[in-house]
Amino acid sequence: MIKPVLVCPFNRKLMDKIKNTQFIITVTGFDDIHEVIKSVHRTNELLGIKIHTEKTLSSIDFDKNWEKFPLFIYAENFGEFLELFPKTEIIRNLNVHFFLSAHNEFNFTGLKILASLRIHCGLWFDKLPVSWDLMNDLMHYAIYSKPKHAHIEPFKWLAEHYAVNGYSNYDAVYFNDPIKFLHINSNEQVAFTADDLLNNKFIAEGAENIDSIQNLQEYKDLSHSRYESMLKMDDCSFCSAFRICLGKFGYLKDKKTTCQPFFADLHDACDYHLSGKKTKENILWQ
């Protein structure tokens, strides 16, 4: 069984207690980046730094010394293109992924701009409302567009990891798939997801117990929870695209004009992408 990656805030004391573990470190500012890199790599493997910033993306002062490490920057607003454009050369030399809030409608245009500049980016579902029409348009651009562009998440991840006869949880893009990631806070309280951690829904406490979490019944029940959702007589259980949505928008009252048409189109796009991969494989084999 593969050991989950730990997602946690930057805390030197916690880093010193946990050994030989892969980490995603969350910070709220850019000044901590170099210290995070120095501290985590002493005894563990740093897979990336997740940064939530109140700055607009275009106003960030990028440092060329960040280039060696994956950065995942979450911002609510794209900002101004004329402010960002002079920084594109240094950005392309960094290992950076930008996530913009789906709440701001201009961000959909901003993501197309980033992708066209070959800068990896994605949507971040932080709050409602979401423009499903704009999201559908962005999804079509991400998967169907012929001109070369960078990946736009979570669409690219779903297209690449689409399971024809199984489930595809795009929460992995946000380090929030409990099969692959666990979340721990500075008090050493562990939860399946970031929301669970925020809402005090802990499954274990103490850094010394992390290695045994996969033996807990709660952890083993995760693989069955999706099947149980399908047994519920609600809109999600009858949705043709449940396998790629997994009920993430189950709280919406009106699904027939919001999430269901979108995910049905996304499901078709994943099928299209998969058929294209099979065609290329057949041509190569021949």
Side-chain angles (χ1 to χ4, degrees):
M1 188 176 290
I2 299 175
K3 185 177 181 179
V5 176
L6 287 186
V7 183
C8 71
F10 179 46
N11 183 296
R12 292 185 184 87
K13 183 179 178 182
L14 185 62
M15 300 297 104
D16 290 337
K17 292 186 71 172
I18 303 174
K19 310 295 183 183
N20 304 315
T21 300
Q22 294 179 320
F23 277 95
I24 298 290
I25 301 298
T26 62
V27 297
T28 56
F30 298 93
D31 294 337
D32 294 327
I33 290 176
H34 293 295
E35 190 59 35
V36 169
I37 293 168
K38 186 192 308 181
S39 299
V40 177
H41 270 302
R42 286 184 299 179
T43 55
N44 295 289
E45 182 181 359
L46 178 64
L47 296 186
I49 301 174
K50 185 177 181 181
I51 306 162
H52 285 266
T53 180
E54 295 182 356
K55 292 183 176 182
T56 63
L57 189 151
S58 64
S59 68
I60 296 171
D61 294 321
F62 298 96
D63 186 340
K64 64 180 181 180
N65 295 315
W66 296 344
E67 63 184 24
K68 294 182 180 179
F69 300 95
L71 303 178
F72 302 87
I73 299 176
Y74 287 67
E76 289 203 13
N77 297 297
F78 176 86
E80 300 293 333
F81 175 71
L82 291 179
E83 185 180 25
L84 178 71
F85 187 73
K87 305 175 183 180
T88 53
E89 184 175 351
I90 186 173
I91 292 174
R92 287 198 192 98
N93 291 325
L94 300 177
N95 187 0
V96 63
H97 302 252
F98 295 115
F99 289 86
L100 296 176
S101 169
H103 179 68
N104 186 324
E105 292 192 355
F106 182 75
N107 286 343
F108 291 87
T109 300
L111 289 171
K112 288 183 181 180
I113 293 172
L114 290 172
S116 68
L117 293 171
R118 311 289 180 86
I119 298 171
H120 295 309
C121 55
L123 271 180
W124 166 37
F125 304 102
D126 57 331
K127 53 188 174 182
L128 292 176
V130 171
S131 173
W132 295 97
D133 289 337
L134 288 175
M135 194 149 70
N136 205 326
D137 178 70
L138 183 65
M139 179 273 291
H140 275 75
Y141 173 81
I143 296 181
Y144 292 109
S145 180
K146 297 298 182 183
K148 289 186 177 180
H149 55 77
H151 299 167
I152 302 178
E153 303 296 1
F155 312 122
K156 183 62 176 179
W157 187 95
L158 269 171
E160 293 290 345
H161 296 83
Y162 173 58
V164 178
N165 298 313
Y167 297 98
S168 305
N169 188 0
Y170 66 79
D171 273 343
V173 171
Y174 311 106
F175 315 118
N176 220 28
D177 179 356
I179 300 297
K180 300 177 181 178
F181 302 93
L182 290 174
H183 293 253
I184 183 171
N185 61 22
S186 296
N187 295 322
E188 300 181 23
Q189 296 163 315
V190 186
F192 284 137
T193 67
D195 284 343
D196 284 352
L197 196 66
L198 188 63
N199 294 311
N200 299 323
K201 296 180 180 179
F202 309 124
I203 56 169
E205 294 191 27
E208 68 278 4
N209 296 317
I210 288 174
D211 289 338
S212 62
I213 285 177
Q214 289 173 300
N215 297 323
L216 295 176
Q217 189 60 44
E218 295 97 320
Y219 191 89
K220 296 177 181 178
D221 289 342
L222 276 174
S223 59
H224 301 292
S225 61
R226 296 164 186 171
Y227 297 100
E228 291 173 358
S229 297
M230 290 295 291
L231 297 177
K232 298 177 181 178
M233 302 298 289
D234 58 17
D235 291 337
C236 288
S237 62
F238 289 104
C239 179
S240 61
F242 177 82
R243 292 187 293 113
I244 60 173
C245 170
L246 303 179
K248 290 180 176 61
F249 295 91
Y251 54 83
L252 294 176
K253 292 182 179 180
D254 176 21
K255 301 180 183 65
K256 292 182 179 179
T257 62
T258 54
C259 56
Q260 286 187 348
F262 167 75
F263 278 99
D265 285 349
L266 178 53
H267 187 270
D268 290 342
C270 291
D271 276 327
Y272 167 83
H273 183 82
L274 181 63
S275 65
K277 288 175 63 176
K278 289 182 177 179
T279 300
K280 289 179 181 179
E281 290 171 0
N282 291 337
I283 292 174
L284 181 63
W285 179 82
Q286 291 169 359

PDB file of all heavy atoms in Angstrom, residues 30-56:
ATOM      1  N   PHE A  30       4.932  34.493   0.320  1.00  0.00           N
ATOM      2  CA  PHE A  30       6.053  34.060  -0.511  1.00  0.00           C
ATOM      3  C   PHE A  30       7.394  34.135   0.211  1.00  0.00           C
ATOM      4  O   PHE A  30       8.377  33.559  -0.243  1.00  0.00           O
ATOM      5  CB  PHE A  30       6.093  34.903  -1.787  1.00  0.00           C
ATOM      6  CG  PHE A  30       4.866  34.743  -2.631  1.00  0.00           C
ATOM      7  CD1 PHE A  30       3.793  35.619  -2.495  1.00  0.00           C
ATOM      8  CD2 PHE A  30       4.764  33.707  -3.544  1.00  0.00           C
ATOM      9  CE1 PHE A  30       2.648  35.466  -3.266  1.00  0.00           C
ATOM     10  CE2 PHE A  30       3.623  33.548  -4.317  1.00  0.00           C
ATOM     11  CZ  PHE A  30       2.572  34.423  -4.178  1.00  0.00           C
ATOM     12  N   ASP A  31       7.445  34.823   1.343  1.00  0.00           N
ATOM     13  CA  ASP A  31       8.705  34.958   2.073  1.00  0.00           C
ATOM     14  C   ASP A  31       9.165  33.645   2.697  1.00  0.00           C
ATOM     15  O   ASP A  31      10.350  33.495   3.029  1.00  0.00           O
ATOM     16  CB  ASP A  31       8.555  36.013   3.185  1.00  0.00           C
ATOM     17  CG  ASP A  31       8.320  37.410   2.626  1.00  0.00           C
ATOM     18  OD1 ASP A  31       8.698  37.645   1.460  1.00  0.00           O
ATOM     19  OD2 ASP A  31       7.745  38.259   3.345  1.00  0.00           O
ATOM     20  N   ASP A  32       8.236  32.694   2.873  1.00  0.00           N
ATOM     21  CA  ASP A  32       8.574  31.427   3.539  1.00  0.00           C
ATOM     22  C   ASP A  32       9.155  30.380   2.580  1.00  0.00           C
ATOM     23  O   ASP A  32       9.617  29.333   3.037  1.00  0.00           O
ATOM     24  CB  ASP A  32       7.324  30.823   4.202  1.00  0.00           C
ATOM     25  CG  ASP A  32       6.821  31.685   5.345  1.00  0.00           C
ATOM     26  OD1 ASP A  32       7.654  32.305   6.018  1.00  0.00           O
ATOM     27  OD2 ASP A  32       5.596  31.729   5.555  1.00  0.00           O
ATOM     28  N   ILE A  33       9.121  30.624   1.279  1.00  0.00           N
ATOM     29  CA  ILE A  33       9.462  29.585   0.305  1.00  0.00           C
ATOM     30  C   ILE A  33      10.857  29.017   0.532  1.00  0.00           C
ATOM     31  O   ILE A  33      11.047  27.792   0.616  1.00  0.00           O
ATOM     32  CB  ILE A  33       9.322  30.126  -1.134  1.00  0.00           C
ATOM     33  CG1 ILE A  33       7.852  30.351  -1.462  1.00  0.00           C
ATOM     34  CG2 ILE A  33       9.956  29.158  -2.132  1.00  0.00           C
ATOM     35  CD1 ILE A  33       7.610  30.962  -2.825  1.00  0.00           C
ATOM     36  N   HIS A  34      11.864  29.870   0.649  1.00  0.00           N
ATOM     37  CA  HIS A  34      13.233  29.383   0.783  1.00  0.00           C
ATOM     38  C   HIS A  34      13.439  28.633   2.100  1.00  0.00           C
ATOM     39  O   HIS A  34      14.158  27.626   2.143  1.00  0.00           O
ATOM     40  CB  HIS A  34      14.225  30.542   0.674  1.00  0.00           C
ATOM     41  CG  HIS A  34      14.265  31.165  -0.683  1.00  0.00           C
ATOM     42  ND1 HIS A  34      14.708  30.479  -1.802  1.00  0.00           N
ATOM     43  CD2 HIS A  34      13.896  32.399  -1.109  1.00  0.00           C
ATOM     44  CE1 HIS A  34      14.627  31.283  -2.859  1.00  0.00           C
ATOM     45  NE2 HIS A  34      14.132  32.437  -2.470  1.00  0.00           N
ATOM     46  N   GLU A  35      12.803  29.098   3.165  1.00  0.00           N
ATOM     47  CA  GLU A  35      12.933  28.428   4.460  1.00  0.00           C
ATOM     48  C   GLU A  35      12.249  27.064   4.435  1.00  0.00           C
ATOM     49  O   GLU A  35      12.739  26.101   5.035  1.00  0.00           O
ATOM     50  CB  GLU A  35      12.330  29.304   5.561  1.00  0.00           C
ATOM     51  CG  GLU A  35      12.633  28.823   6.974  1.00  0.00           C
ATOM     52  CD  GLU A  35      14.122  28.754   7.278  1.00  0.00           C
ATOM     53  OE1 GLU A  35      14.862  29.602   6.773  1.00  0.00           O
ATOM     54  OE2 GLU A  35      14.522  27.828   8.021  1.00  0.00           O
ATOM     55  N   VAL A  36      11.107  26.967   3.748  1.00  0.00           N
ATOM     56  CA  VAL A  36      10.419  25.686   3.604  1.00  0.00           C
ATOM     57  C   VAL A  36      11.313  24.688   2.894  1.00  0.00           C
ATOM     58  O   VAL A  36      11.482  23.538   3.334  1.00  0.00           O
ATOM     59  CB  VAL A  36       9.097  25.862   2.819  1.00  0.00           C
ATOM     60  CG1 VAL A  36       8.539  24.500   2.434  1.00  0.00           C
ATOM     61  CG2 VAL A  36       8.087  26.620   3.649  1.00  0.00           C
ATOM     62  N   ILE A  37      11.884  25.085   1.804  1.00  0.00           N
ATOM     63  CA  ILE A  37      12.747  24.202   1.014  1.00  0.00           C
ATOM     64  C   ILE A  37      13.916  23.702   1.850  1.00  0.00           C
ATOM     65  O   ILE A  37      14.242  22.511   1.852  1.00  0.00           O
ATOM     66  CB  ILE A  37      13.258  24.937  -0.236  1.00  0.00           C
ATOM     67  CG1 ILE A  37      12.086  25.233  -1.186  1.00  0.00           C
ATOM     68  CG2 ILE A  37      14.338  24.123  -0.942  1.00  0.00           C
ATOM     69  CD1 ILE A  37      12.423  26.193  -2.305  1.00  0.00           C
ATOM     70  N   LYS A  38      14.532  24.598   2.606  1.00  0.00           N
ATOM     71  CA  LYS A  38      15.688  24.241   3.428  1.00  0.00           C
ATOM     72  C   LYS A  38      15.297  23.276   4.547  1.00  0.00           C
ATOM     73  O   LYS A  38      15.995  22.293   4.823  1.00  0.00           O
ATOM     74  CB  LYS A  38      16.290  25.503   4.033  1.00  0.00           C
ATOM     75  CG  LYS A  38      17.590  25.273   4.794  1.00  0.00           C
ATOM     76  CD  LYS A  38      17.973  26.499   5.613  1.00  0.00           C
ATOM     77  CE  LYS A  38      17.974  27.774   4.776  1.00  0.00           C
ATOM     78  NZ  LYS A  38      18.369  28.960   5.591  1.00  0.00           N
ATOM     79  N   SER A  39      14.169  23.521   5.196  1.00  0.00           N
ATOM     80  CA  SER A  39      13.763  22.731   6.357  1.00  0.00           C
ATOM     81  C   SER A  39      13.260  21.345   5.988  1.00  0.00           C
ATOM     82  O   SER A  39      13.639  20.346   6.611  1.00  0.00           O
ATOM     83  CB  SER A  39      12.672  23.477   7.140  1.00  0.00           C
ATOM     84  OG  SER A  39      13.146  24.718   7.602  1.00  0.00           O
ATOM     85  N   VAL A  40      12.398  21.241   4.983  1.00  0.00           N
ATOM     86  CA  VAL A  40      11.772  19.961   4.647  1.00  0.00           C
ATOM     87  C   VAL A  40      12.775  18.983   4.067  1.00  0.00           C
ATOM     88  O   VAL A  40      12.759  17.799   4.362  1.00  0.00           O
ATOM     89  CB  VAL A  40      10.601  20.175   3.666  1.00  0.00           C
ATOM     90  CG1 VAL A  40       9.994  18.836   3.260  1.00  0.00           C
ATOM     91  CG2 VAL A  40       9.539  21.044   4.324  1.00  0.00           C
ATOM     92  N   HIS A  41      13.677  19.462   3.254  1.00  0.00           N
ATOM     93  CA  HIS A  41      14.595  18.558   2.568  1.00  0.00           C
ATOM     94  C   HIS A  41      15.671  17.955   3.471  1.00  0.00           C
ATOM     95  O   HIS A  41      16.436  17.116   3.032  1.00  0.00           O
ATOM     96  CB  HIS A  41      15.259  19.269   1.388  1.00  0.00           C
ATOM     97  CG  HIS A  41      14.492  19.138   0.118  1.00  0.00           C
ATOM     98  ND1 HIS A  41      14.180  17.929  -0.441  1.00  0.00           N
ATOM     99  CD2 HIS A  41      13.942  20.075  -0.697  1.00  0.00           C
ATOM    100  CE1 HIS A  41      13.505  18.111  -1.551  1.00  0.00           C
ATOM    101  NE2 HIS A  41      13.332  19.391  -1.731  1.00  0.00           N
ATOM    102  N   ARG A  42      15.684  18.355   4.725  1.00  0.00           N
ATOM    103  CA  ARG A  42      16.670  17.753   5.622  1.00  0.00           C
ATOM    104  C   ARG A  42      16.378  16.288   5.884  1.00  0.00           C
ATOM    105  O   ARG A  42      17.283  15.458   5.923  1.00  0.00           O
ATOM    106  CB  ARG A  42      16.696  18.527   6.952  1.00  0.00           C
ATOM    107  CG  ARG A  42      17.376  19.891   6.852  1.00  0.00           C
ATOM    108  CD  ARG A  42      17.462  20.548   8.194  1.00  0.00           C
ATOM    109  NE  ARG A  42      16.160  20.789   8.782  1.00  0.00           N
ATOM    110  CZ  ARG A  42      15.969  21.347   9.969  1.00  0.00           C
ATOM    111  NH1 ARG A  42      16.996  21.707  10.706  1.00  0.00           N
ATOM    112  NH2 ARG A  42      14.747  21.560  10.435  1.00  0.00           N
ATOM    113  N   THR A  43      15.106  15.952   6.074  1.00  0.00           N
ATOM    114  CA  THR A  43      14.753  14.568   6.425  1.00  0.00           C
ATOM    115  C   THR A  43      13.596  14.011   5.605  1.00  0.00           C
ATOM    116  O   THR A  43      13.244  12.857   5.748  1.00  0.00           O
ATOM    117  CB  THR A  43      14.366  14.486   7.920  1.00  0.00           C
ATOM    118  OG1 THR A  43      13.321  15.426   8.180  1.00  0.00           O
ATOM    119  CG2 THR A  43      15.559  14.787   8.805  1.00  0.00           C
ATOM    120  N   ASN A  44      12.980  14.824   4.754  1.00  0.00           N
ATOM    121  CA  ASN A  44      11.811  14.384   4.006  1.00  0.00           C
ATOM    122  C   ASN A  44      11.897  14.864   2.560  1.00  0.00           C
ATOM    123  O   ASN A  44      12.838  15.560   2.171  1.00  0.00           O
ATOM    124  CB  ASN A  44      10.533  14.938   4.653  1.00  0.00           C
ATOM    125  CG  ASN A  44      10.306  14.378   6.046  1.00  0.00           C
ATOM    126  OD1 ASN A  44       9.976  13.220   6.199  1.00  0.00           O
ATOM    127  ND2 ASN A  44      10.497  15.210   7.059  1.00  0.00           N
ATOM    128  N   GLU A  45      10.902  14.483   1.768  1.00  0.00           N
ATOM    129  CA  GLU A  45      10.866  14.875   0.363  1.00  0.00           C
ATOM    130  C   GLU A  45       9.759  15.911   0.146  1.00  0.00           C
ATOM    131  O   GLU A  45       8.597  15.666   0.452  1.00  0.00           O
ATOM    132  CB  GLU A  45      10.614  13.653  -0.528  1.00  0.00           C
ATOM    133  CG  GLU A  45      10.605  13.995  -2.012  1.00  0.00           C
ATOM    134  CD  GLU A  45      10.335  12.793  -2.888  1.00  0.00           C
ATOM    135  OE1 GLU A  45      10.173  11.672  -2.336  1.00  0.00           O
ATOM    136  OE2 GLU A  45      10.272  12.961  -4.120  1.00  0.00           O
ATOM    137  N   LEU A  46      10.134  17.045  -0.395  1.00  0.00           N
ATOM    138  CA  LEU A  46       9.184  18.117  -0.669  1.00  0.00           C
ATOM    139  C   LEU A  46       8.674  17.984  -2.095  1.00  0.00           C
ATOM    140  O   LEU A  46       9.430  18.137  -3.055  1.00  0.00           O
ATOM    141  CB  LEU A  46       9.851  19.479  -0.476  1.00  0.00           C
ATOM    142  CG  LEU A  46       8.992  20.715  -0.767  1.00  0.00           C
ATOM    143  CD1 LEU A  46       7.818  20.778   0.207  1.00  0.00           C
ATOM    144  CD2 LEU A  46       9.835  21.981  -0.673  1.00  0.00           C
ATOM    145  N   LEU A  47       7.363  17.700  -2.239  1.00  0.00           N
ATOM    146  CA  LEU A  47       6.770  17.554  -3.566  1.00  0.00           C
ATOM    147  C   LEU A  47       6.264  18.886  -4.117  1.00  0.00           C
ATOM    148  O   LEU A  47       6.095  19.023  -5.332  1.00  0.00           O
ATOM    149  CB  LEU A  47       5.616  16.550  -3.522  1.00  0.00           C
ATOM    150  CG  LEU A  47       5.975  15.114  -3.160  1.00  0.00           C
ATOM    151  CD1 LEU A  47       4.754  14.217  -3.303  1.00  0.00           C
ATOM    152  CD2 LEU A  47       7.116  14.588  -4.025  1.00  0.00           C
ATOM    153  N   GLY A  48       6.011  19.837  -3.240  1.00  0.00           N
ATOM    154  CA  GLY A  48       5.528  21.121  -3.717  1.00  0.00           C
ATOM    155  C   GLY A  48       5.133  22.031  -2.565  1.00  0.00           C
ATOM    156  O   GLY A  48       4.975  21.588  -1.422  1.00  0.00           O
ATOM    157  N   ILE A  49       4.996  23.304  -2.889  1.00  0.00           N
ATOM    158  CA  ILE A  49       4.563  24.304  -1.918  1.00  0.00           C
ATOM    159  C   ILE A  49       3.275  24.929  -2.436  1.00  0.00           C
ATOM    160  O   ILE A  49       3.222  25.428  -3.557  1.00  0.00           O
ATOM    161  CB  ILE A  49       5.635  25.393  -1.720  1.00  0.00           C
ATOM    162  CG1 ILE A  49       6.948  24.765  -1.236  1.00  0.00           C
ATOM    163  CG2 ILE A  49       5.155  26.441  -0.720  1.00  0.00           C
ATOM    164  CD1 ILE A  49       8.102  25.754  -1.150  1.00  0.00           C
ATOM    165  N   LYS A  50       2.241  24.856  -1.631  1.00  0.00           N
ATOM    166  CA  LYS A  50       0.931  25.399  -1.989  1.00  0.00           C
ATOM    167  C   LYS A  50       0.755  26.743  -1.295  1.00  0.00           C
ATOM    168  O   LYS A  50       0.824  26.827  -0.068  1.00  0.00           O
ATOM    169  CB  LYS A  50      -0.167  24.419  -1.565  1.00  0.00           C
ATOM    170  CG  LYS A  50      -1.565  24.815  -1.985  1.00  0.00           C
ATOM    171  CD  LYS A  50      -2.563  23.727  -1.574  1.00  0.00           C
ATOM    172  CE  LYS A  50      -3.979  24.078  -2.003  1.00  0.00           C
ATOM    173  NZ  LYS A  50      -4.953  23.034  -1.592  1.00  0.00           N
ATOM    174  N   ILE A  51       0.553  27.775  -2.104  1.00  0.00           N
ATOM    175  CA  ILE A  51       0.510  29.134  -1.584  1.00  0.00           C
ATOM    176  C   ILE A  51      -0.850  29.762  -1.855  1.00  0.00           C
ATOM    177  O   ILE A  51      -1.270  29.880  -3.009  1.00  0.00           O
ATOM    178  CB  ILE A  51       1.612  30.006  -2.227  1.00  0.00           C
ATOM    179  CG1 ILE A  51       2.980  29.339  -2.055  1.00  0.00           C
ATOM    180  CG2 ILE A  51       1.605  31.404  -1.648  1.00  0.00           C
ATOM    181  CD1 ILE A  51       4.030  29.882  -2.992  1.00  0.00           C
ATOM    182  N   HIS A  52      -1.542  30.166  -0.818  1.00  0.00           N
ATOM    183  CA  HIS A  52      -2.783  30.934  -0.954  1.00  0.00           C
ATOM    184  C   HIS A  52      -2.438  32.406  -0.736  1.00  0.00           C
ATOM    185  O   HIS A  52      -1.907  32.769   0.312  1.00  0.00           O
ATOM    186  CB  HIS A  52      -3.821  30.486   0.071  1.00  0.00           C
ATOM    187  CG  HIS A  52      -4.458  29.181  -0.259  1.00  0.00           C
ATOM    188  ND1 HIS A  52      -5.647  29.080  -0.954  1.00  0.00           N
ATOM    189  CD2 HIS A  52      -4.072  27.906  -0.012  1.00  0.00           C
ATOM    190  CE1 HIS A  52      -5.963  27.808  -1.107  1.00  0.00           C
ATOM    191  NE2 HIS A  52      -5.019  27.080  -0.549  1.00  0.00           N
ATOM    192  N   THR A  53      -2.718  33.217  -1.726  1.00  0.00           N
ATOM    193  CA  THR A  53      -2.368  34.625  -1.626  1.00  0.00           C
ATOM    194  C   THR A  53      -3.574  35.519  -1.880  1.00  0.00           C
ATOM    195  O   THR A  53      -4.464  35.172  -2.666  1.00  0.00           O
ATOM    196  CB  THR A  53      -1.245  34.982  -2.624  1.00  0.00           C
ATOM    197  OG1 THR A  53      -0.931  36.370  -2.505  1.00  0.00           O
ATOM    198  CG2 THR A  53      -1.652  34.673  -4.066  1.00  0.00           C
ATOM    199  N   GLU A  54      -3.604  36.650  -1.197  1.00  0.00           N
ATOM    200  CA  GLU A  54      -4.644  37.646  -1.428  1.00  0.00           C
ATOM    201  C   GLU A  54      -4.262  38.592  -2.561  1.00  0.00           C
ATOM    202  O   GLU A  54      -5.075  39.404  -3.004  1.00  0.00           O
ATOM    203  CB  GLU A  54      -4.908  38.437  -0.142  1.00  0.00           C
ATOM    204  CG  GLU A  54      -5.490  37.584   0.986  1.00  0.00           C
ATOM    205  CD  GLU A  54      -5.789  38.396   2.232  1.00  0.00           C
ATOM    206  OE1 GLU A  54      -5.471  39.607   2.228  1.00  0.00           O
ATOM    207  OE2 GLU A  54      -6.327  37.834   3.207  1.00  0.00           O
ATOM    208  N   LYS A  55      -3.023  38.485  -3.027  1.00  0.00           N
ATOM    209  CA  LYS A  55      -2.585  39.314  -4.141  1.00  0.00           C
ATOM    210  C   LYS A  55      -3.241  38.860  -5.436  1.00  0.00           C
ATOM    211  O   LYS A  55      -3.622  37.698  -5.578  1.00  0.00           O
ATOM    212  CB  LYS A  55      -1.066  39.220  -4.313  1.00  0.00           C
ATOM    213  CG  LYS A  55      -0.247  39.829  -3.196  1.00  0.00           C
ATOM    214  CD  LYS A  55       1.238  39.721  -3.534  1.00  0.00           C
ATOM    215  CE  LYS A  55       2.099  40.398  -2.489  1.00  0.00           C
ATOM    216  NZ  LYS A  55       3.541  40.330  -2.854  1.00  0.00           N
ATOM    217  N   THR A  56      -3.357  39.776  -6.389  1.00  0.00           N
ATOM    218  CA  THR A  56      -3.734  39.336  -7.732  1.00  0.00           C
ATOM    219  C   THR A  56      -2.535  38.614  -8.332  1.00  0.00           C
ATOM    220  O   THR A  56      -1.382  38.879  -7.960  1.00  0.00           O
ATOM    221  CB  THR A  56      -4.105  40.531  -8.626  1.00  0.00           C
ATOM    222  OG1 THR A  56      -2.958  41.382  -8.777  1.00  0.00           O
ATOM    223  CG2 THR A  56      -5.257  41.308  -8.039  1.00  0.00           C
TER     224      THR A  56
END
